[in-house]
Amino acid sequence: MYIWSGYIKDNAHYPPFDFGMLVVNPVKGKKIQQTVGAQGIRFNATAAGSSNLLLGYPSNGNGGRTLQYCSGASVAASYSMKYAMVCDMGGGSSGGPWFQDFNKVTGTGYQISAHALRNTTTSYGAYFGPEALKTFRAAEAS
């Protein structure tokens, strides 16, 4: 498991770097992608004006028992976050994927973020920027 060293700041988590990478060894010669599927990933993606899809299992959506989603255009972000969307994806959805160019027919897209923070009207995603790319490369090299 890999996280960015800047995730912990002043003994607290720092939402703009709320992402991690996990290496899973093959089982019986099969990679995890061959067993459960996979999505693309994009680093340094711009969110301005783009259409996004956020998935999660929030406590305020059927008690976290079913997959919920929000979709729409990006809005102005705050809290030092890069991505924001009008969506009240509640507790339990942290870490859920934030997709760009998601195709509802094929069920594929590119993950550009992970859900990291929310207020009552807006959900925010961590930026998969240079730090995320370095973390990804470190995981790949292991």
Side-chain angles (χ1 to χ4, degrees):
M1 292 185 280
Y2 294 82
I3 63 168
W4 183 250
S5 60
Y7 173 63
I8 301 297
K9 182 177 180 181
D10 301 325
N11 293 322
H13 79 283
Y14 188 53
F17 298 121
D18 193 356
F19 54 80
M21 308 297 169
L22 177 68
V23 178
V24 179
N25 292 325
V27 174
K28 297 181 182 179
K30 290 180 77 176
K31 294 182 178 182
I32 192 168
Q33 299 92 323
Q34 295 168 302
T35 303
V36 299
Q39 299 288 342
I41 188 168
R42 280 188 181 148
F43 297 97
N44 304 308
T46 180
S50 65
S51 179
N52 300 287
L53 175 72
L54 175 60
L55 301 174
Y57 290 88
S59 59
N60 62 343
N62 195 24
R65 291 185 297 276
T66 57
L67 181 64
Q68 305 289 310
Y69 75 93
C70 291
S71 62
S74 298
V75 297
S78 56
Y79 305 108
S80 300
M81 303 299 283
K82 176 90 171 179
Y83 303 117
M85 180 187 335
V86 174
C87 170
D88 182 19
M89 187 70 79
S93 60
S94 293
W98 194 301
F99 290 105
Q100 190 176 64
D101 297 334
F102 189 82
N103 183 315
K104 292 177 184 176
V105 174
T106 64
T108 59
Y110 295 92
Q111 186 174 354
I112 61 167
S113 181
H115 186 238
L117 180 67
R118 76 172 176 101
N119 63 26
T120 57
T121 61
T122 307
S123 290
Y124 298 90
Y127 180 51
F128 284 4
E131 298 85 1
L133 179 57
K134 288 177 186 176
T135 304
F136 182 82
R137 293 287 184 237
E140 265 188 330
S142 67

